[in-house]
Amino acid sequence: MKVSLGVEVSEKYLKVSIVKFKGMHSKLFDCIAESLPDSDDDGISRMIVDILKKDKYKPKFVGVSLPRNFVTVRNLHLPSQNRDEISKMIELHIDRIVPYKKEDVVFNYSFAGKDDMGYSRVILAIVHNDIIRRQIKILDQAGFLLDKVSLSSYCVWQAVVHNQRTQINRTDLYLILDIDTTFTDFIIFSGEHMLFTRSIAIKFSDIDGEVGERKFLGEIRQSLLIFQNEEINKKPVKIFLSGIDLPNLGQIIKGELDIEVLNASGIVPPEVISARKRSLPKDVSLTSASNLILEDKDNRLSFILPDIQIRKSIREKIKDLSICGTLSIYILSLVCVIFLGRIYNEENYLNKLKEKKSGIEEGVGNLVRQLDRIEFVKKYVNDRQIYFYIMSQLQKNTPKGISFNFIGMDENNKVTLRGQAYNLSEVFQYTTVLDKLRYIEAARTNYTRQRKMVEGEITDFEIGFIFDIDKQDTKNR
């Protein structure tokens, strides 16, 4: 079974999703969440191996969802639409945003449309190298090469959009509150882009009760205020609650903020859990992990280390070499069989010819050998005359404005002329002249390049044609 593996290592839980592929279609097949062991990262690696070994999963693709509270995210408004210019501007912002050297972090960005002034709205995500290297180490010890590291906020956003697409239009703003064990991901999006994300550092257990609810609502108001002050002074029309399901929270939020609240916690289909007979913890959100592989879109924020790129490149090359090696052996074997068969048939035919030839030579004597010598000398003389004739035609028809620095001919009588001309038009005119000469076929200009010199512009060119010495001369008739 062809499957892909999605992994998210949060502060307290290991989340694993298994996606099954059938042709071009993908489907969530299994979802697992287990408490992290008290041991080091080796214990997490062993846990992943045990999970996959128990259910006999052999993933071909491995992706990691990086929790939002591990990542620094900023919204930027940059006065350019050029991607190269925007990349340079972003590099200047890195040192100002995080207290690390640029070499110690990995960052990526995503476009979120344009603002009212026509500036590019960019979401910049920055994470320390050590955090990603830890993910690579865990999967390395489990025996897997990491293919992709994505920001969990984008996975949550795409999961909710996919699950609630009938409730979303292109013009309004929406809010997602994905409640997880140790934090809540506050996400504002439109019909096309994720516009804002913020981590609310309140444990789900602290939300229960009047004091916790009041504190949680205060953080939501503050996050909304930050968004409206920095981005768009517009109120979301709907709030989607995903992740951990807290009773009555939706009614409380709706009463305080006067915004419609919808429950989007059913991202993982119940039949997936029941079919695998899983018992999932109630205090964990599986939204981002379940959508990590299922919805692999181009607009997802991903973090790429050179280690990942090198390993992925090596793996692809090994795969290509294996395929090429197998095909080469198969083709070589087929060619050998055909070649040996032809050799056997040709040897039999040659033996018969030798028998006939010996009889003819006895009667005719040396006449055949003499005739062969005459024909060989005749052909050699004719070929030499043709080549000298072609050279004389080149010399005769080459204008003064064209000079050659290379004339080459291969075994197939294909001639290459390289040189220089003062005018580009002379090159094409000269090609036309060559194409009309006797014994010259398929004359064409392979390339031309103009460069400036002190004396003026000079055109470097290459012309190719073929000697067709066996063809009857039908040109200019």
Side-chain angles (χ1 to χ4, degrees):
M1 179 172 57
K2 183 181 178 181
V3 299
S4 293
L5 173 68
V7 177
E8 181 176 322
V9 182
S10 64
E11 295 175 0
K12 291 189 176 181
Y13 285 98
L14 168 66
K15 308 172 189 178
V16 175
S17 63
I18 304 295
V19 174
K20 181 170 63 173
F21 289 86
K22 188 175 182 181
M24 298 298 294
H25 302 284
S26 59
K27 183 180 180 181
L28 183 63
F29 185 70
D30 198 357
C31 214
I32 306 152
E34 294 188 6
S35 299
L36 292 180
D38 296 331
S39 59
D40 55 8
D41 293 341
D42 295 342
I44 303 176
S45 301
R46 288 192 295 271
M47 184 183 295
I48 296 174
V49 172
D50 293 340
I51 291 172
L52 299 177
K53 186 177 180 181
K54 180 180 179 181
D55 294 286
K56 298 180 180 179
Y57 295 133
K58 296 180 179 179
K60 301 294 184 182
F61 181 93
V62 180
V64 165
S65 172
L66 206 59
R68 172 63 183 84
N69 58 340
F70 291 173
V71 182
T72 300
V73 179
R74 293 290 184 271
N75 286 61
L76 303 177
H77 296 257
L78 303 176
S80 177
Q81 305 298 325
N82 185 283
R83 289 182 175 268
D84 293 334
E85 292 179 356
I86 289 175
S87 297
K88 294 177 182 178
M89 293 178 188
I90 287 175
E91 290 184 2
L92 297 176
H93 282 275
I94 299 298
D95 295 333
R96 180 180 59 83
I97 295 174
V98 293
Y100 307 114
K101 294 180 180 179
K102 190 163 57 177
E103 296 77 15
D104 296 335
V105 298
V106 180
F107 64 92
N108 201 352
Y109 61 92
S110 175
F111 289 95
K114 299 179 182 178
D115 60 15
D116 296 336
M117 297 179 64
Y119 285 16
S120 294
R121 184 184 288 113
V122 175
I123 298 180
L124 172 64
I126 308 170
V127 61
H128 199 279
N129 284 340
D130 293 342
I131 295 176
I132 296 184
R133 293 190 189 281
R134 181 189 176 221
Q135 312 288 331
I136 297 175
K137 178 184 175 183
I138 290 172
L139 290 170
D140 270 349
Q141 292 175 341
F144 298 105
L145 288 176
L146 180 59
D147 291 284
K148 197 169 188 179
V149 181
S150 299
L151 179 63
S152 63
S153 299
Y154 269 73
C155 302
V156 172
W157 164 52
Q158 291 172 0
V160 172
V161 169
H162 178 76
N163 189 258
Q164 302 288 330
R165 54 183 174 270
T166 57
Q167 302 290 334
I168 299 171
N169 60 54
R170 295 170 60 93
T171 57
D172 294 322
L173 296 183
Y174 302 90
L175 169 61
I176 301 172
L177 295 174
D178 184 62
I179 304 172
D180 206 349
T181 310
T182 57
F183 74 99
T184 295
D185 198 351
F186 178 97
I187 302 169
I188 293 182
F189 68 97
S190 64
E192 297 179 340
H193 304 288
M194 189 182 84
L195 303 174
F196 182 80
T197 174
R198 184 172 184 261
S199 176
I200 299 177
I202 298 179
K203 297 180 180 179
F204 94 97
S205 56
D206 295 336
I207 301 175
D208 192 18
E210 184 178 350
V211 176
E213 290 171 355
R214 191 182 306 114
K215 183 179 178 182
F216 186 62
L217 287 170
E219 288 290 339
I220 294 175
R221 287 196 189 94
Q222 183 180 355
S223 299
L224 275 172
L225 186 61
I226 293 172
F227 171 74
Q228 290 170 343
N229 289 338
E230 295 182 359
E231 297 301 318
I232 302 174
N233 189 15
K234 187 177 178 182
K235 189 177 180 181
V237 297
K238 293 178 183 178
I239 298 176
F240 298 98
L241 291 181
S242 67
I244 301 173
D245 189 11
L246 294 175
N248 302 322
L249 182 61
Q251 293 295 329
I252 295 170
I253 295 175
K254 181 178 179 181
E256 291 291 333
L257 300 180
D258 193 25
I259 301 175
E260 182 183 359
V261 179
L262 300 176
N263 190 349
S265 59
I267 300 296
V268 181
E271 58 270 19
V272 172
I273 306 302
S274 59
R276 308 305 302 170
K277 297 179 180 180
R278 299 290 183 192
S279 178
L280 297 179
K282 301 295 183 181
D283 60 339
V284 64
S285 171
L286 295 172
T287 308
S288 58
S290 64
N291 194 61
L292 176 62
I293 306 299
L294 189 63
E295 297 293 331
D296 193 12
K297 301 289 182 65
D298 292 336
N299 57 355
R300 173 175 295 173
L301 269 178
S302 299
F303 303 96
I304 303 298
L305 277 175
D307 307 32
I308 299 177
Q309 291 178 319
I310 292 172
R311 293 184 183 192
K312 192 172 182 180
S313 176
I314 292 175
R315 184 176 59 182
E316 293 297 327
K317 288 183 179 179
I318 291 174
K319 182 180 178 181
D320 293 342
L321 287 173
S322 300
I323 295 174
C324 290
T326 303
L327 289 176
S328 298
I329 292 174
Y330 174 78
I331 294 172
L332 184 61
S333 302
L334 185 62
V335 170
C336 288
V337 171
I338 296 173
F339 185 69
L340 291 174
R342 290 187 62 182
I343 289 177
Y344 177 77
N345 292 332
E346 288 176 356
E347 285 183 350
N348 288 337
Y349 183 66
L350 181 60
N351 291 332
K352 292 179 181 179
L353 288 178
K354 286 181 179 179
E355 292 177 1
K356 292 183 179 181
K357 181 182 177 182
S358 61
I360 294 173
E361 284 182 347
E362 291 177 359
V364 179
N366 295 326
L367 183 60
V368 173
R369 288 193 296 272
Q370 293 175 358
L371 182 61
D372 289 340
R373 291 173 183 172
I374 293 171
E375 290 296 328
F376 173 78
V377 173
K378 181 179 177 181
K379 185 176 182 301
Y380 180 78
V381 172
N382 287 338
D383 290 347
R384 297 269 299 191
Q385 289 176 345
I386 291 173
Y387 297 145
F388 284 119
Y389 171 78
I390 294 299
M391 293 301 293
S392 66
Q393 290 298 311
L394 289 177
Q395 184 178 10
K396 185 184 300 182
N397 290 278
T398 301
K400 294 182 179 181
I402 290 178
S403 62
F404 298 109
N405 52 35
F406 175 84
I407 300 177
M409 182 175 67
D410 59 17
E411 64 274 14
N412 296 320
N413 289 342
K414 183 178 179 181
V415 178
T416 301
L417 303 177
R418 297 193 192 105
Q420 298 175 342
Y422 287 109
N423 295 314
L424 180 62
S425 60
E426 290 184 349
V427 177
F428 295 103
Q429 292 174 2
Y430 184 56
T431 304
T432 304
V433 171
L434 288 177
D435 196 50
K436 294 180 180 180
L437 295 180
R438 186 182 182 186
Y439 299 120
I440 292 180
E441 294 290 332
R444 64 174 184 174
T445 303
N446 294 333
Y447 73 82
T448 60
R449 291 193 185 94
Q450 291 183 322
R451 56 193 176 93
K452 292 185 177 181
M453 302 290 290
V454 177
E455 297 82 4
E457 285 191 351
I458 291 181
T459 301
D460 295 323
F461 65 88
E462 182 180 285
I463 298 174
F465 58 86
I466 299 173
F467 280 171
D468 194 0
I469 59 177
D470 296 325
K471 188 173 181 179
Q472 294 295 327
D473 183 22
T474 58
K475 295 183 178 180
N476 299 325
R477 291 185 181 181

